[in-house]
């Protein structure tokens, strides 16, 4: 990297043009600019569940995080859906001697970094969404697709779903609670199970 008179803040994400990531980047870039900092975003184009040679090669972009020009790092933790890339980034970040903060939930591969994390209240958010379906649309037969089974965020979101159902005197059917990967592929696979008749449709 070329030397810059202003501090450089690196943002680590995957698929930076996705809606949530774009919104976060817009806010980070604006705030950094107000504070006299330059933002550099590191992102891969392919964000798939299973790694292959192409995706592994693409991940080399994160090696630039070791640059002495970087003054601080922001990790968008939930944007990465594949374990290999999360392990690679965690390994690189252990070598970085600059302040690092995470935005999003605590993902297992990043837990050992002991980063300060900024996150929304997943439990309350899901509880409000579920309550909306019940109160505004009269739905009582609701399926829930969460994230990865080993993720604390997934369980927290399920807790919000269960809490809303019980608060409305509806016994949640845990057979209709599914684990995924926080990404499109798990939603697609669940939809296919409905379409082929393997699962009964919820409301």
């Amino acid at each position: 990297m070329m030397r810059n008179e202003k501090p450089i803040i690196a943002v680590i994400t995957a698929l930076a043009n996705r809606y949530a990531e774009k919104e976060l980047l817009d806010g980070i870039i604006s705030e950094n600019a107000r504070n006299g900092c330059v933002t550099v975003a590191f992102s891969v184009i392919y964000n798939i569940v299973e790694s292959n040679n192409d995706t592994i090669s693409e991940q080399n972009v994160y090696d630039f995080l070791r640059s002495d020009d970087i003054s601080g790092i922001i990790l968008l933790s939930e944007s990465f859906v594949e374990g290999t890339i999360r392990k690679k980034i965690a390994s690189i970040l252990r070598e970085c001697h600059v302040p690092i903060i995470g935005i999003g939930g605590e993902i297992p591969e990043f837990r050992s970094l002991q980063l300060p994390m900024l996150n929304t209240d997943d439990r309350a958010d899901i509880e409000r969404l579920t309550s909306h379906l019940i109160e505004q649309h009269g739905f009582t037969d609701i399926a829930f697709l969460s994230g990865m089974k080993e993720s604390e965020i997934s369980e927290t979101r399920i807790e919000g779903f269960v809490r809303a159902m019980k608060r409305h005197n509806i016994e949640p059917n845990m057979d209709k609670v599914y684990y995924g990967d926080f990404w499109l592929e798990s939603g697609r696979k669940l939809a296919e199970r409905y379409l082929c008749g393997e699962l009964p449709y919820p409301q």
Side-chain angles (χ1 to χ4, degrees), residues 19 21 23 30 32 38 49 76 80-81 90 107 123 130 156 161 180 192:
Y19 178 79
E21 282 68 24
E23 289 289 297
S30 297
N32 281 345
V38 173
V49 179
L76 306 189
F80 303 96
V81 301
I107 304 295
R123 186 183 292 104
T130 306
T156 299
F161 168 73
E192 287 172 355

Side-chain angles (χ1 to χ4, degrees), residues 185-203:
E185 190 59 28
S186 58
R188 186 178 295 113
K189 287 179 179 177
L190 181 58
E192 287 172 355
R193 294 178 70 189
Y194 288 125
L195 291 170
C196 74
E198 179 186 343
L199 297 173
Y201 283 101
Q203 286 175 296

Side-chain angles (χ1 to χ4, degrees), residues 77-167:
S77 64
E78 292 180 40
S79 65
F80 303 96
V81 301
E82 200 276 317
T84 303
I85 191 171
R86 293 195 297 263
K87 289 175 183 174
K88 176 183 176 71
I89 290 170
S91 176
I92 292 170
L93 292 181
R94 286 188 197 98
E95 301 174 21
C96 296
H97 303 290
V98 296
I100 306 172
I101 190 168
I103 296 178
E106 188 179 80
I107 304 295
E109 288 83 355
F110 300 139
R111 191 171 294 138
S112 63
L113 298 172
Q114 297 183 320
L115 303 178
M117 300 294 295
L118 298 175
N119 196 14
T120 56
D121 188 338
D122 286 274
R123 186 183 292 104
D125 291 344
I126 295 298
E127 184 174 357
R128 282 194 293 269
L129 286 168
T130 306
S131 295
H132 173 83
L133 292 175
I134 297 167
E135 295 168 5
Q136 301 301 316
H137 303 280
F139 295 156
T140 57
D141 181 11
I142 303 171
F144 186 80
L145 174 61
S146 193
M148 299 159 290
K149 193 163 190 175
E150 71 274 16
S151 170
E152 184 179 340
I153 313 163
S154 302
E155 301 304 327
T156 299
R157 292 178 181 181
I158 291 170
E159 287 173 16
F161 168 73
V162 169
R163 183 184 293 180
M165 296 289 279
K166 288 186 174 181
R167 187 160 56 83

